[in-house]
Amino acid sequence: MPLSIKITFDLQPDEPLSGFELGHIEISNGIRSWSSQDKTPDQAMMIFPSIVNLLDGLRNILQSESQGKFIWVGVDSSFSISFVRGDRNKMSVFVEDVLAIDADSSQIAEWIYRPINAFLDQHIDLLQPNDPLLSDLQVAVKDFLPVLYNLNPQLPSEQDIKPQKGELP
Amino acid sequence: MVKRIICIAAILYLVAIPLTVRAQNEGRPPKRGESSRSGTAERDRLSQDRETRGIDARRETSAEERVRIGRERNSNNNEAKADIVRSDVDRTRNEADRNIEPRIEYGNLRWGWVHIEARHISGEHPTKGAGDLFTLGATKQQLEDAARSIVRNGERISDRFRRIQVFEKQIEVNGKADLVRVVVDSQTNNRVITIFPVRSK
């Protein structure tokens, strides 16, 4: 069963989207799910900087030969996910100290990246052009992609998936 | 007779030597510090100027040489290497400076003091309510002091080249020790976006 991630936040209809908007992350292994929502105290996080930190941190542990663990904590929150490297490119993901999944690093990288990319596809254009998060998000994705494709050479590239500008989908 | 010849020879010798030396000296500038019999202070100055210009010319030449060598090296580099250099320059520009003291601006419910107070001190955030709280009564000054210490001495959590930087440190705020994270915008001189205790790690 693959790991799935769902990112949500409440858009205010009368206000432009901010890079520091608070929202929630839900992670599921198909059997059980963990969410930052409905917690006391509230564990909403600044979604965009949290995504940047997640991609950067995961990239570091996937690239590093010495780093064995990466604990991601949502920005403005205490909700955390731990990534622990195992033998033979295996990686374990713990949420709230419970093992969520044990799988190949390449799969985990893809399971994390795909929903984030889909979320950004929907929302990044809603950020103001001068938003402080815009460049960080773009660079974090750009830096993560080579690691993802290096681990998953069989994956079609983004250009293969997305229609080019001017082309019909 | 012999004595007379010797005397004349000695006189001629004594007169001829200084004349020869003087004639030789006419053709070259005096050395620095050398007191020329016929030289003046002006001549010394001009001579030193010439010497200095000579040194400058050598410096210019070597600088030009360095530029030329550099250009040759650059022309040998491939485009990918140039891209890496450009990328590094851009990244370095973004790198957060730990020596710039972070400051908490008034802000709004999304960032700054309004956000921090509503979300992490009083807990009266109108839409999200209370997050993890500092002890009640924590002041802006206390949090600013904590932010300064965390940015300067804490662990950097974010990628160092990102605009938005996250630092973390175990620190006491208003009488309670916590693992505290601070988020700053490095491109606005470490404006504090938020500061909050991390209770789950």
Side-chain angles (χ1 to χ4, degrees):
Chain A
M1 226 18 171
L3 205 62
S4 67
I5 289 181
K6 191 176 165 191
I7 304 166
T8 54
F9 56 24
D10 304 326
L11 286 171
Q12 305 298 322
D14 51 341
E15 289 181 33
L17 183 66
S18 159
F20 304 120
E21 214 72 58
L22 291 171
H24 290 283
I25 279 191
E26 183 182 317
I27 184 165
S28 169
N29 62 3
I31 299 167
R32 183 184 165 181
S33 62
W34 296 260
S35 174
S36 59
Q37 207 156 10
D38 301 325
K39 299 227 181 255
T40 306
D42 186 74
Q43 294 299 316
M45 64 190 75
M46 293 182 178
I47 287 293
F48 292 108
S50 298
I51 285 174
V52 171
N53 287 350
L54 179 55
L55 290 178
D56 286 339
L58 192 56
R59 172 174 54 84
N60 283 339
I61 192 174
L62 290 169
Q63 282 182 315
S64 169
E65 290 180 2
S66 56
Q67 187 183 349
K69 189 175 185 182
F70 160 56
I71 302 173
W72 169 81
V73 182
V75 171
D76 213 44
S77 162
S78 293
F79 186 75
S80 66
I81 302 174
S82 304
F83 299 86
V84 182
R85 277 169 65 142
D87 294 336
R88 297 179 187 176
N89 290 326
K90 290 280 183 189
M91 185 176 272
S92 305
V93 180
F94 294 85
V95 189
E96 296 174 338
D97 296 330
V98 177
L99 178 66
I101 205 155
D102 215 354
D104 277 351
S105 306
S106 57
Q107 286 180 308
I108 288 173
E110 192 190 349
W111 292 334
I112 297 288
Y113 174 75
R114 290 293 176 199
I116 285 176
N117 190 46
F119 174 81
L120 292 179
D121 270 354
Q122 280 186 326
H123 296 96
I124 201 165
D125 289 342
L126 302 177
L127 292 173
Q128 301 297 298
N130 60 350
D131 195 285
L133 262 304
L134 200 55
S135 60
D136 279 0
L137 285 164
Q138 289 164 339
V139 179
V141 169
K142 192 179 167 191
D143 285 351
F144 191 81
L145 280 176
V147 179
L148 179 71
Y149 289 124
N150 189 39
L151 290 168
N152 297 281
Q154 79 287 356
L155 282 179
S157 74
E158 291 297 301
Q159 286 176 340
D160 294 336
I161 297 169
K162 290 179 186 172
Q164 296 299 301
K165 278 186 180 174
E167 284 182 4
L168 290 171
Chain B
M1 184 63 183
V2 173
K3 281 184 181 176
R4 194 174 289 167
I5 291 168
I6 291 170
C7 268
I8 292 168
I11 290 165
L12 285 173
Y13 180 74
L14 288 172
V15 172
I17 283 181
L19 284 172
T20 311
V21 170
R22 192 172 169 180
Q24 286 172 349
N25 284 347
E26 289 291 334
R28 65 156 178 85
K31 289 175 187 169
R32 188 183 292 180
E34 183 183 25
S35 60
S36 164
R37 245 180 250 174
S38 61
T40 59
E42 178 65 11
R43 189 171 167 182
D44 282 342
R45 192 183 62 76
L46 289 170
S47 165
Q48 283 182 5
D49 281 351
R50 276 201 298 275
E51 234 179 39
T52 309
R53 278 199 299 274
I55 291 167
D56 286 345
R58 282 195 295 277
R59 278 183 187 151
E60 280 166 18
T61 308
S62 60
E64 283 171 8
E65 186 70 5
R66 283 198 296 274
V67 170
R68 188 184 62 74
I69 292 166
R71 281 182 180 152
E72 277 178 10
R73 280 182 187 159
N74 282 344
S75 68
N76 290 335
N77 284 346
N78 58 30
E79 193 58 32
K81 281 181 183 170
D83 280 342
I84 289 167
V85 172
R86 275 197 294 275
S87 167
D88 284 347
V89 168
D90 289 340
R91 286 172 168 220
T92 309
R93 201 178 297 140
N94 276 342
E95 191 173 344
D97 188 343
R98 281 177 180 252
N99 293 317
I100 297 175
E101 293 192 346
R103 66 193 189 287
I104 301 178
E105 291 182 4
Y106 187 73
N108 56 38
L109 279 172
R110 293 186 174 106
W111 65 272
W113 176 243
V114 174
H115 168 85
I116 295 164
E117 201 281 330
R119 188 89 178 130
H120 302 294
I121 297 176
S122 70
E124 293 171 352
H125 194 283
T127 56
K128 296 292 178 188
D132 290 305
L133 300 176
F134 291 107
T135 49
L136 195 62
T139 65
K140 184 182 166 198
Q141 187 60 53
Q142 286 174 328
L143 292 177
E144 219 160 39
D145 291 344
R148 195 171 301 136
S149 171
I150 297 166
V151 167
R152 186 167 293 168
N153 305 314
E155 182 188 352
R156 191 194 299 270
I157 300 300
S158 51
D159 184 299
R160 65 186 306 167
F161 301 113
R162 300 289 176 251
R163 172 174 175 168
I164 301 298
Q165 290 286 309
V166 184
F167 298 92
E168 174 186 279
K169 191 184 172 195
Q170 187 77 28
I171 195 168
E172 189 177 303
V173 178
N174 198 29
K176 187 172 192 294
D178 261 316
L179 186 64
V180 177
R181 283 192 173 191
V182 61
V183 181
V184 296
D185 181 354
S186 63
Q187 281 191 15
T188 52
N189 292 320
N190 288 349
R191 165 179 65 121
V192 174
I193 304 303
T194 186
I195 180 167
F196 58 100
V198 177
R199 300 261 159 78
S200 68
K201 205 173 165 187

